[in-house]
Amino acid sequence: MIHFVIVAFLVAVSTYGLYTFVLTNEILLPFQASEQAVFIDGLFSVHWFFIAFFYSLIVVFVLYSVVVFRRRPGDESDGEHFEGNTKLEIVWTVIPLIIVMGLSFAGAQTLADVERRDPQAIEVNVVASQWNWRFEYPDYGIITNELVLPKDQQILLHMRSEDVIHSFWVPEFRVKQDVLPGDEDFTRDLRVTPNEYGEYRLRCAELCGQLHYNMLADVRVVSVSEFAGWAEIAAADCEADDVTCGEKWATQFGCVACHSQDGTVIVGPTWSGLADSTVTLADGSTVLADADYLVNSILEPNAQVHEGFSEGIMPPNFAESLTTEQIDQLVAFIQSLK
Ligand code: CUA
């Protein structure tokens, strides 16, 4: 009887310790910043309770037996043998069965809560590519690389990739979704209702190549009026001079993720000192990096590959996503870095 009391006590202490350690630790579990996070954390804490309990049950039993019932010096007797215990077998079959059925029900309920639709949801198209996030707000005419969201408003994210599989993940929102390449059928939707002001970080959560670790985007949750103000400014066409506009497009379309402006080599050739220099191509020939060369390199990146870089790294679809004016402004920006 005393063994039973001690084991029960140790299991209770261990379960409580593990349970609260994880659920109250800001590093292991960031704070909640969306309505969906409340449902997900509710389900997580139920699962985590059972994990902590069964882990404690097994580890305490084993360690207690190893220490308390160890073989004493001089004791050569065998332990007591017994076979079969119908009552015990029924107990350890029925209890897990009930738990698993309960968790399935809770899981289905949580999924329904997380995917609940709000017909007023703001639609945002999320386009992932190596190694950049682009956000398009079709109702506002905005294309940006910073995700700005109004608080307490459901956001419907339509997500697709231009190359490999990426994954949309803002830890504080809890929801996460793989972003797939392919046609419309592969577009994935995700709903999130941010309910805490603040600045967050979107991280790609799928290993997607060399700069996967750096595939980040800023996420800002702001008031409805701040959002309206931001949308008005962000929607405006670029009215500034060509170089300033070019810099804006270089950031928005993710060029700067691969092309540095300070001479370092990230993935593609640096833009520092590129314009009007003599470039050696992969086939050994040389070419002057004039405006025509720069335009062609954006439109047909594989036609003249810079020495030291491989073919096929740069997305070949900028002819579709950029206007002629935007390309000219990009070139003006690159030329300003010579
Ligand atoms: Cu995109 Cu990892």
Side-chain angles (χ1 to χ4, degrees):
M1 186 61 189
I2 184 71
H3 292 308
F4 177 80
V5 173
I6 294 172
V7 167
F9 175 73
L10 290 174
V11 168
V13 169
S14 167
T15 305
Y16 178 77
L18 279 171
Y19 183 73
T20 49
F21 174 70
V22 167
L23 294 186
T24 58
N25 191 314
E26 275 272 309
I27 295 171
L28 294 175
L29 196 67
F31 69 95
Q32 300 171 339
S34 79
E35 281 177 15
Q36 289 76 10
V38 178
F39 301 119
I40 290 174
D41 282 3
L43 184 64
F44 176 74
S45 50
V46 173
H47 275 254
W48 183 245
F49 170 78
F50 284 114
I51 291 168
F53 173 71
F54 284 110
Y55 174 84
S56 304
L57 192 64
I58 293 164
V59 170
V60 167
F61 253 110
V62 169
L63 291 182
Y64 190 83
S65 305
V66 165
V67 174
V68 176
F69 302 116
R70 67 188 181 278
R71 174 187 274 187
R72 317 279 163 173
D75 178 6
E76 295 300 321
S77 67
D78 244 356
E80 191 190 335
H81 287 244
F82 59 89
E83 256 175 57
N85 186 328
T86 313
K87 212 201 283 174
L88 199 58
E89 285 177 21
I90 290 173
V91 167
W92 78 39
T93 306
V94 170
I95 290 181
L97 186 71
I98 292 169
I99 293 174
V100 168
M101 281 164 56
L103 289 178
S104 317
F105 181 77
Q109 184 61 48
T110 304
L111 189 63
D113 288 334
V114 166
E115 292 186 342
R116 190 171 299 139
R117 287 153 191 249
D118 177 353
Q120 306 291 316
I122 294 180
E123 294 187 28
V124 179
N125 298 326
V126 177
V127 184
S129 60
Q130 286 170 318
W131 291 273
N132 177 59
W133 295 99
R134 190 166 82 235
F135 308 105
E136 301 168 354
Y137 296 66
D139 295 341
Y140 298 83
I142 298 171
I143 298 175
T144 171
N145 64 335
E146 176 194 37
L147 187 58
V148 178
L149 306 172
K151 182 171 169 278
D152 296 326
Q153 167 84 57
Q154 189 178 83
I155 315 296
L156 171 56
L157 302 160
H158 297 294
M159 311 200 284
R160 65 188 169 84
S161 166
E162 290 183 340
D163 36 51
V164 300
I165 300 176
H166 302 274
S167 182
F168 180 100
W169 185 42
V170 179
E172 290 83 359
F173 292 168
R174 296 296 190 274
V175 288
K176 188 197 242 178
Q177 171 65 52
D178 273 5
V179 185
L180 312 176
D183 61 19
E184 297 263 297
D185 293 346
F186 292 91
T187 300
R188 289 290 173 268
D189 286 350
L190 186 68
R191 289 170 191 273
V192 62
T193 313
N195 60 2
E196 290 288 339
Y197 292 123
E199 294 183 10
Y200 307 99
R201 207 26 118 49
L202 161 60
R203 294 161 198 282
C204 178
E206 178 68 43
L207 190 58
C208 58
Q210 198 180 355
L211 289 193
H212 156 71
Y213 72 92
N214 202 30
M215 191 167 160
L216 308 165
D218 290 330
V219 179
R220 269 197 302 135
V221 176
V222 299
S223 68
V224 171
S225 61
E226 258 180 282
F227 176 77
W230 169 83
E232 209 167 298
I233 295 168
D237 287 336
C238 190
E239 309 262 324
D241 60 282
D242 283 357
V243 173
T244 310
C245 292
E247 185 172 12
K248 180 178 169 176
W249 310 136
T251 310
Q252 261 180 29
F253 289 93
C255 314
V256 294
C258 299
H259 299 285
S260 79
Q261 292 154 50
D262 63 3
T264 53
V265 172
I266 312 173
V267 174
T270 178
W271 282 352
S272 166
L274 172 64
D276 296 337
S277 69
T278 304
V279 169
T280 308
L281 300 179
D283 63 8
S285 63
T286 58
V287 62
L288 178 68
D290 56 11
D292 282 345
Y293 168 81
L294 295 174
V295 170
N296 284 334
S297 297
I298 295 170
L299 297 179
E300 282 184 69
N302 295 323
Q304 291 174 300
V305 178
H306 196 299
E307 186 189 34
F309 299 91
S310 2
E311 206 179 309
I313 292 186
M314 174 147 156
N317 54 353
F318 284 114
E320 296 150 35
S321 49
L322 292 165
T323 64
T324 315
E325 189 188 15
Q326 285 173 324
I327 291 171
D328 289 343
Q329 289 168 333
L330 262 177
V331 168
F333 174 59
I334 297 169
Q335 284 173 328
S336 75
L337 299 169
K338 69 183 173 195

